[in-house]
Amino acid sequence: MNDHDSRFKDELIQFCEEENPVTDKTIPEGDYWKVLVVDDERDIHVMTQFAVEDYRYQGKPLQLFNAYSVAEAKTYLRQHLDIAVLLLDVVMETDDAGLLLIKYIREELQNRFVRIVLRTGQPGYAPEKEVIIQYDINDYKNKTELSYSKLFTTITANLRAYSDMMVLESYRQRLEDKVLERTQELQQKNSELLQLMESLQQLNREKTEFLRLAAQDIQNPLSSIQELSVLIQRTVESLSRQELLNFVHIIEVSSQRMVGLIKDLLDMNAIESGNLRLAVGIFDFQSSLPFLKEDYLELAREKNIQLDFQFPDEACRLMVNKSATLQVLDNLVSNAIKYSPSSKCVAIRISKREGFMRCEIEDEGPGLSEEDRILLFGKFMRLTPNPIGNDKNKTGLGLFIVKKLVEAMNGHIWCESELGKGATFIVELPLAV
């Protein structure tokens, strides 16, 4: 190439005005850089289009958008938030139209990424330095300066800056997402720790309450055992056989009460720690009924309570834990007798229905209020009704343990009662196939 050709390349190429304005060059949607040309002179659009015809940066071509007014430019900018470079004429509808558009971009659209290159065709016109800084203008060129090579350099420099900003923004967003994710994880962990702390505090309160109640309930039988032991030692030679047997019976009953309290504590601890594991198997409930009846009859005779047994004649085989089943029935029947006035009746009805053995234990005691029914199977619940006779309320764990045992055997338990009309406890346990 000679000197004449080289000089020609650096000169501004001018084109004759076409009948129709330049339209956007269509590139299939994909990987490209978006460049918006805003100028009220058609020749500038044509020249820019020609200059970047085969331009590529980082392997990606350009997609040019052409706007001939500020209003058109605003539409493009609202629709395409990923425009990388804006080639903007300063003077269009007004002398400061370009500057007002930049203010709109930076302040209203809050778009800090698009690289803005101001271009003017009026020699000697240039915005003040303060204006360039205030409006975040990235470059300023006279149109006569933008030869092919300089336009190439300008676009490349601004695309490089835009690309670097996008990489940093991507890192920032990923870091922000990580921080948000980590913050949410920490908040979740903190919430779980707070819940755990509350659970531990509640457990500590419950254990403290249990120990308080257990100490109260153990004190009386332990005092009785102590006093009777001393009395027997002092008067053993003068006591008759019957008197001695009576004292021994009182010591036995007091010891049983303390053993029951300790058993409740151990059962509750197994339940709360998740160590309640019941091995289930086939239990021939029908064959155990005569022995159960005898045990309950003896308990009822002490209070002159009549027991009404209604058992099925056919075999009744359960898929349960035998020991837990007997513990559940013993608790419910003894409670029914305990809370029934003397000379009343306790009905125990056993039936089969839909894969379950149903046991209904109905008493003629004081019944339960709605408030008591809500609290019935909770821990340490001492309800409004009091045992009748010499029976003393224990720790309030009995029905809590009963419910957990029944549920551990895939059964169901509930209570139907009205205040002043007695209570019926209903237990359903699965039949063996």
Side-chain angles (χ1 to χ4, degrees):
M1 180 180 296
N2 57 34
D3 293 340
H4 175 76
D5 292 334
S6 176
R7 287 194 303 273
F8 177 78
K9 181 177 180 180
D10 288 336
E11 291 177 355
L12 182 66
I13 303 175
Q14 299 290 337
F15 295 87
C16 296
E17 182 174 327
E18 297 180 350
E19 292 185 4
N20 298 317
V22 176
T23 58
D24 298 336
K25 180 181 178 183
T26 302
I27 296 178
E29 188 69 24
D31 205 12
Y32 50 80
W33 304 102
K34 294 182 180 180
V35 175
L36 174 61
V37 181
V38 183
D39 203 298
D40 55 358
E41 298 181 34
R42 291 185 179 88
D43 290 348
I44 297 300
H45 291 276
V46 173
M47 182 275 294
T48 305
Q49 179 75 61
F50 178 80
V52 299
E53 186 76 30
D54 297 318
Y55 179 92
R56 285 182 177 272
Y57 178 70
Q58 294 181 350
K60 298 191 296 184
L62 300 183
Q63 168 72 71
L64 286 187
F65 298 98
N66 297 281
Y68 297 88
S69 67
V70 169
E72 284 185 70
K74 287 182 177 181
T75 300
Y76 277 120
L77 289 163
R78 286 193 300 267
Q79 293 175 349
H80 302 273
L81 299 179
D82 57 343
I83 289 176
V85 179
L86 171 61
L87 301 176
L88 175 63
D89 190 9
V90 178
V91 180
M92 290 183 287
E93 297 96 321
T94 61
D95 289 346
D96 61 350
L99 297 179
L100 293 177
L101 178 59
I102 296 171
K103 185 176 182 180
Y104 170 80
I105 293 170
R106 299 305 192 200
E107 294 182 3
E108 293 191 37
L109 294 184
Q110 291 292 304
N111 186 339
R112 67 181 189 279
F113 298 114
V114 60
R115 302 295 84 196
I116 300 175
V117 180
L118 278 183
R119 301 196 295 184
T120 181
Q122 300 184 16
Y125 179 84
E128 298 291 335
K129 293 180 180 178
E130 293 77 6
V131 174
I132 293 177
I133 295 172
Q134 178 183 352
Y135 290 104
D136 190 15
I137 299 169
N138 305 110
D139 204 350
Y140 177 80
K141 300 290 184 182
N142 285 317
K143 291 182 181 179
T144 55
E145 293 180 306
L146 284 180
S147 62
Y148 171 83
S149 60
K150 290 184 178 180
L151 182 60
F152 177 92
T153 301
T154 298
I155 290 179
T156 300
N158 282 279
L159 283 179
R160 181 179 293 113
Y162 177 82
S163 176
D164 290 344
M165 289 182 68
M166 289 296 98
V167 170
L168 291 175
E169 177 65 12
S170 175
Y171 289 155
R172 187 195 67 79
Q173 288 182 356
R174 275 187 281 179
L175 180 59
E176 192 175 87
D177 291 343
K178 287 291 184 183
V179 170
L180 178 60
E181 181 182 344
R182 185 57 179 160
T183 300
Q184 291 174 341
E185 288 178 1
L186 291 174
Q187 289 174 342
Q188 177 65 25
K189 293 294 183 184
N190 186 53
S191 177
E192 291 174 359
L193 287 173
L194 289 175
Q195 291 177 3
L196 180 59
M197 183 182 297
E198 176 59 29
S199 298
L200 291 174
Q201 290 174 344
Q202 178 63 24
L203 183 59
N204 185 59
R205 289 192 292 267
E206 291 174 353
K207 290 291 178 68
T208 301
E209 177 66 6
F210 176 81
L211 291 175
R212 184 183 70 80
L213 295 173
Q216 290 177 355
D217 286 339
I218 287 176
Q219 184 175 2
N220 288 335
L222 190 58
S223 297
S224 297
I225 292 172
Q226 247 182 337
E227 292 171 3
L228 286 173
S229 299
V230 173
L231 180 61
I232 291 172
Q233 289 179 37
R234 289 177 179 176
T235 62
V236 64
E237 294 181 357
S238 61
L239 291 175
S240 67
R241 176 181 173 79
Q242 187 58 49
E243 287 175 329
L244 190 58
L245 289 175
N246 289 340
F247 287 158
V248 170
H249 177 69
I250 294 173
I251 292 174
E252 181 185 7
V253 171
S254 298
S255 300
Q256 288 175 347
R257 286 181 59 189
M258 288 191 294
V259 169
L261 289 169
I262 294 171
K263 186 177 185 306
D264 282 351
L265 175 60
L266 294 175
D267 287 344
M268 187 193 74
N269 185 65
I271 291 169
E272 293 291 349
S273 62
N275 293 325
L276 180 63
R277 299 288 186 269
L278 296 180
V280 299
I282 296 178
F283 172 35
D284 186 0
F285 185 70
Q286 188 75 11
S287 64
S288 299
L289 289 178
F291 304 101
L292 296 175
K293 286 179 62 174
E294 191 61 34
D295 291 340
Y296 300 148
L297 285 170
E298 178 62 29
L299 185 62
R301 270 195 293 267
E302 296 177 2
K303 290 187 62 176
N304 195 28
I305 299 291
Q306 178 184 351
L307 295 183
D308 177 20
F309 292 98
Q310 300 176 27
F311 296 155
D313 295 329
E314 69 272 17
C316 188
R317 290 154 53 87
L318 306 178
M319 183 58 68
V320 293
N321 179 277
K322 178 179 177 179
S323 176
T325 301
L326 295 178
Q327 181 178 343
V328 167
L329 294 177
D330 180 69
N331 183 285
L332 296 178
V333 174
S334 61
N335 275 353
I337 295 172
K338 185 191 303 182
Y339 286 92
S340 293
S342 180
S343 303
K344 293 293 184 177
C345 178
V346 171
I348 303 170
R349 297 184 291 270
I350 306 292
S351 60
K352 290 182 179 181
R353 57 180 67 194
E354 299 178 355
F356 287 92
M357 179 200 78
R358 181 174 178 135
C359 178
E360 300 179 10
I361 302 168
E362 182 179 5
D363 65 51
E364 296 179 351
L368 297 167
S369 66
E370 183 177 350
E371 292 79 8
D372 283 338
R373 288 201 307 275
I374 294 173
L375 301 174
L376 191 57
F377 294 101
K379 285 181 288 189
F380 311 116
M381 292 296 108
R382 295 193 171 189
L383 308 178
T384 304
N386 289 315
I388 297 171
N390 295 323
D391 292 313
K392 300 296 181 182
N393 202 1
K394 298 197 297 181
T395 58
L397 284 172
L399 290 177
F400 168 77
I401 294 171
V402 162
K403 183 176 176 64
K404 294 298 183 181
L405 291 176
V406 170
E407 291 175 345
M409 295 185 290
N410 299 314
H412 314 283
I413 182 171
W414 69 95
C415 177
E416 297 175 356
S417 178
E418 289 185 37
L419 193 60
K421 296 184 179 181
T424 301
F425 281 83
I426 302 168
V427 179
E428 290 183 343
L429 295 171
L431 292 168
V433 179

